[in-house]
Amino acid sequence: MFVAKRSHHNPILVPDRDHFWESTAAFNMCPVKCGSKTLGLFRAISGIDNLVEPHQMSTIGIAESTDGDHFDKRAQFITPEAEWEKFGCEDPRVTFFEGKYYIFYTALSTYPFSASGIKVAVAVSTDLKKVSERHLVTPFNAKAMTLFPKRINGKVTVIFSINTDAPPAKIAIAQADSIEEFWSPEFWEKWRLSTGINYLDPRRNEFDHVEIGAPPLETKCGWLLIYSHIQNYFPNPDHFDRAFGIEALLLDINEPHKIIGRTSGPILVPEEPYELLGFVANVIFPTGAMIEKDTLNIYYGAADTTACRASVSFPDLLASIRPETTNDWRLKRYQDNPILASNTGNVWEDKAVFNPGVLDLDGKIHILYRALSNDNTSTIGYASTVDGFTIRERLSAPAYLPREAFEMKKIANANSGCEDPRLTKIGKEIYMCYTAFDGIGPPRVAVTSISEKDFLDKKWNWKMPVLITPKDIDDKDACLFPDKVDGKYFILHRVGSDICGDYLNSLSFKTEKVDKCIRVLGPRVGTWDSAKVGIGGPPIKTPKGWLLLYHAVSKNHHTYRIGAVLLDLKDPTDVLARSTDPIFEPVEMYEKFGLVNNVVFTCGMAIKGGTLYVYYGGGDKVVGVATMKLKILLDALVRGSKLSFTGHWY
């Protein structure tokens, strides 16, 4: 699991209206170390000049920084001079190699723009104060070329995107004995005819589009390549949402055409206003990356208008890319799962048992699970475990039954009843939030409570339930926080596709209602949590923040997975960190196949001896448990929460 965090200084580079050459856009920055400073080369788009064509021109600027966030002393660095670039210079990638800086960029030679006039060029500099030479590199349509910072098996190596404007595009690798060969047409003629041409294809399907992002970074595990992966770039009959994302590949250190690891989805997608609105809306595009100590800093263009930075803990990212390198970074299933299954001897639970809420009390973990009968009535059953895994007690009768009209079945055999309990102990009272459904109206949140003593004695003297969410609104997945926040009680619930919060003055629910949706968390386009999100169990209070697990559904594949967030202790509507990738997803048969396929869904977790026990429903059919060290999960979120405040690099 890893967390990606945008710099709180974003955008770190914006258009300067006082400079005509960069008055419309300043974006797609590629940084490089130069002495004690970081220099960033970026694409600039000029203001409009109606007397020439094209009316706007792209050139390459340069700026400098001492902290990676604040860039000044901006100046034009590469402007069109030769015929092969007379209509613009775009998207620089700079690498320091064998004593010189090589800046590969896109050169435009025709207008209106066409594939035949879009090629790769290079500028060479010894000090990044002036360009000593420049050359046209590819005689064919290509973009986004970048140079590996050292020879690989004695060869100078470049990686680039070929046929980007005459798809299908490919990512290609070329190697030469000397760097000068790359601006020889004869070299490329031999390269294209060679049977040894190496291509990478990280696309997940034929509708995606990929393009090189940042220059490769050498790591002990391989070459780290940050690249652009655009989902549904081409018309897709099943999915119509185009989504720009930043992803990562790990390439073999000696054979860079071999992919040895990759992210399972985007590291970043457009979310912030400066990414959603601009010269070209809903675009983020990576062009630079640096590793400083254990932090990976990714530089990217936002909406083709500004330059931005985001950071990731590199060890966390590596563990996600290469999960086989460690067993500690994800939830681990109990080997004898499922721990609870339907019981044909009890009519009320003969179809399925799933989505358990839990409480750790009196030396036991008490499990209240959703039980489903064959007529699709949901009730709540009870079981307990001492060691966290082995069920020592399971009652033959429900611990909770539908009692009010709002949860009684209105249509024969339709779903109805009491669903997905979440338990919170406040003082000597145990509160249970659950989803109440009568089979007709939209589901709503109901709350009941029981004394701790009666609960432990299994005397199910639950108070009569009360609906606390608004009428005619689909509102579910709710829990109360165990402690007051700023003198008030706090509740999480879900409206539509978002996790919301609300403050309550008291726990007198006959008068106290949930009437606000303070948005805490929502879906992210193009990701594993792109369709909707909802809470897991009640959060755990830690010195670093409220640890909350949440479930999410992917838009394209309708798979339920589990992620993690860290909420501020004083303001739980403030998300300090959110897992970029899921910490748990359907793998086993009992998770992939059930009443609903491809589901892991938790309503409760507990801590025993520093280990987090997560109880979950698999396939809406059975109950399982998975564990991981709390410190590992919490530390990863805490690292993520601090990434936007990394400050100086040196």
Side-chain angles (χ1 to χ4, degrees), residues 219-232:
T219 77
K220 63 181 180 180
C221 298
W223 294 103
L224 181 67
L225 183 69
I226 304 298
Y227 74 105
S228 172
H229 195 128
I230 308 168
Q231 300 175 48
N232 304 316

Side-chain angles (χ1 to χ4, degrees), residues 281-337:
N282 297 313
V283 171
I284 57 173
F285 191 88
T287 46
M290 285 182 163
I291 296 176
E292 179 63 22
K293 296 183 179 178
D294 284 338
T295 299
L296 169 67
N297 294 299
I298 300 171
Y299 290 80
Y300 64 97
D304 279 11
T305 304
T306 63
C308 301
R309 181 176 69 82
S311 299
V312 177
S313 164
F314 178 65
D316 292 350
L317 176 66
L318 183 62
S320 181
I321 291 175
R322 297 291 301 275
E324 67 275 13
T325 62
T326 176
N327 293 319
D328 298 330
W329 293 83
R330 291 176 184 267
L331 284 165
K332 183 178 180 180
R333 292 165 180 80
Y334 175 47
Q335 61 184 3
D336 291 328
N337 273 349

Side-chain angles (χ1 to χ4, degrees), residues 186 205 211-212 254 336 339 446-447 456 483 576 596 607 641:
E186 291 76 18
N205 60 62
E211 193 165 324
I212 294 300
N254 294 312
D336 291 328
I339 61 172
V447 175
L456 291 174
D483 294 331
L576 301 178
V596 180
I607 299 172
S641 71

Side-chain angles (χ1 to χ4, degrees), residues 433-456:
C433 297
Y434 65 93
T435 299
F437 186 51
D438 63 3
I440 297 178
R444 296 171 68 184
V445 174
V447 175
T448 183
S449 67
I450 189 173
S451 71
E452 180 180 1
K453 183 179 185 304
D454 281 350
F455 183 88
L456 291 174

